[in-house]
Amino acid sequence: MRILYGVQATGQGHISRARAMAHALKQHPDVDVTWLFSGRPRERLFDMEPFGDFQHRAGLTFVTEAGRLRYRKTIMANRYWQFIRDVQRLDVKAYDLVVTDYEPVTAWAGKLKGQSVLGIGHQYAFGKNTPVEGRSLAQHAVMSLFAPVARGVGLHWSNFGSNVLPPILDLPPAPPTTAQDHILVYLPFEDQAGVTEWLNGFSEHRFLQYASTLPNDEQGNVGRRTANIAGFKSDLASARGVVCNCGFELISECLHWRKPVLTRPLAKQMEQLSNGAALEILRYATVMRQIDNELTARWLAAPPPAPNLSFPDVSAALASWLAGGATTPVA
């Protein structure tokens, strides 16, 4: 069984899911997986050892500034002719199964060459019963056309549809360590200097702020850390709470490890706004639509208890399904 597995690398959450799937698929020796990543320059990818000799394409990406999706800059930044050439040149017919986690080169190569593509990811969970916020006609079109698939396996925090599974988690099997006194902060779409200054305003609290562009240093009550998997997971395990944007994967990890979450959805980004709406409906996290000092101070003083959740091993179940050819219906 030869599988081509495409992964959108703009956000770290897709890669985190892929890492869990890579470990699970290695338990099936008859499965040969070729990984393809796009949406981020190859030199900016890190901790990619589980994927072996992976392929990389420019793909398509989104431009964000100061916590807001910038549509005009997104349109200008993408290399569309390169994308078309990559789609045309990708040999999907050499594989028994093509899978995409919202990665557009594999999705469009399969669609244009008559090869059925299976989607596995959070974006494929947005059916008629899934909470949606901030949807415009343009956003709906982009979400539908970005990485089209013949079948979709959605991932979400609740069973919003017959094709929806719980999250895929890339977490160590050991239980989290005893909570310490720090708050973990991961706001990759914000201006990091501005985030540090904002956190300095809550001087009675200790923060660990992660981002790929940060040095490892100390700024008052804020320990700044360069993004890395091992350090981040360790600090997440021992955090007493998490402040983050509204990406699906990190919040899923927080819920599984029962960490209180204060989250700010990326402005004008339908997926994150919809995640915020779902969290409010399910009462799983505290959501702020913009940086709110009063709300943050109240949350830091007394973070609400995290919900009593524990997600199953979805990656192992999906790996077995893929190894068998994914022939049984998704439902």
Side-chain angles (χ1 to χ4, degrees):
M1 165 72 71
R2 296 194 67 203
I3 298 177
L4 175 63
Y5 205 125
V7 182
Q8 170 69 352
T10 300
Q12 199 61 31
H14 298 270
I15 301 176
S16 182
R17 280 198 293 274
R19 190 174 286 107
M21 289 300 301
H23 291 308
L25 286 164
K26 285 177 182 176
Q27 304 307 308
H28 300 271
D30 294 335
V31 175
D32 179 19
V33 184
T34 298
W35 295 93
L36 186 152
F37 295 85
S38 76
R40 187 193 306 188
R42 188 183 187 109
E43 62 272 16
R44 290 179 55 200
L45 296 170
F46 57 91
D47 293 327
M48 300 295 284
E49 292 81 5
F51 307 112
D53 188 19
F54 64 89
Q55 296 187 28
H56 178 269
R57 302 291 188 278
L60 300 173
T61 190
F62 300 95
V63 176
T64 63
E65 289 180 349
R68 181 179 297 270
L69 181 61
R70 301 295 182 182
Y71 286 103
R72 184 175 299 177
K73 290 188 177 182
T74 293
I75 292 170
M76 298 297 294
N78 282 294
R79 297 155 56 191
Y80 299 104
W81 285 115
Q82 182 65 53
F83 173 74
I84 293 170
R85 284 194 295 268
D86 287 341
V87 168
Q88 291 174 337
R89 294 172 181 173
L90 185 61
D91 183 14
V92 292
K93 294 293 186 181
Y95 299 91
D96 302 300
L97 190 61
V98 179
V99 181
T100 181
D101 185 340
Y102 211 53
E103 195 288 308
V105 176
T106 48
W108 276 104
K111 184 177 181 65
L112 296 178
K113 298 175 184 182
Q115 177 87 329
S116 178
V117 179
L118 172 67
I120 298 178
H122 179 52
Q123 285 79 4
Y124 303 110
F126 284 86
K128 63 180 180 180
N129 297 321
T130 308
V132 173
E133 184 175 308
R135 172 157 37 191
S136 65
L137 186 61
Q139 286 233 358
H140 178 68
V142 168
M143 194 166 188
S144 301
L145 296 173
F146 189 84
V149 297
R151 290 185 295 165
V153 179
L155 308 168
H156 217 309
W157 301 307
S158 187
N159 184 20
F160 293 119
S162 61
N163 73 317
V164 177
L165 300 180
I168 295 172
L169 299 176
D170 177 36
L171 288 174
T177 58
T178 303
Q180 298 180 17
D181 195 41
H182 67 266
I183 298 291
L184 184 71
V185 179
Y186 185 61
L187 295 165
F189 303 112
E190 313 284 347
D191 174 73
Q192 295 307 308
V195 170
T196 303
E197 183 179 358
W198 175 59
L199 298 174
N200 287 153
F202 304 98
S203 57
E204 66 273 28
H205 301 281
R206 168 69 174 166
F207 300 97
L208 294 179
Q209 176 189 351
Y210 272 85
S212 60
T213 58
L214 285 176
N216 290 306
D217 65 10
E218 300 290 324
Q219 297 287 331
N221 60 319
V222 181
R224 303 197 302 180
R225 303 288 183 266
T226 304
N228 70 92
I229 299 300
F232 185 87
K233 300 292 186 186
S234 176
D235 288 332
L236 172 61
S238 59
R240 69 180 183 91
V242 177
V243 178
C244 59
N245 288 122
C246 218
F248 177 72
E249 194 65 23
L250 174 55
I251 291 180
S252 298
E253 294 175 353
C254 293
L255 293 174
H256 185 73
W257 272 356
R258 299 176 189 176
K259 302 295 180 181
V261 173
L262 175 64
T263 180
R264 185 202 177 204
L266 179 61
K268 294 192 175 182
Q269 211 271 2
M270 189 193 81
E271 181 196 347
Q272 291 218 358
L273 291 168
S274 299
N275 287 346
L279 290 168
E280 288 182 319
I281 290 170
L282 297 168
R283 298 184 178 181
Y284 283 176
T286 303
V287 181
M288 57 179 177
R289 294 299 188 274
Q290 59 277 325
I291 298 297
D292 185 325
N293 288 338
E294 291 185 7
L295 175 60
T296 302
R298 291 197 302 271
W299 185 88
L300 289 170
N308 186 14
L309 294 176
S310 181
F311 298 118
D313 189 350
V314 174
S315 59
L318 277 175
S320 296
W321 184 63
L322 294 176
T327 55
T328 56
V330 173

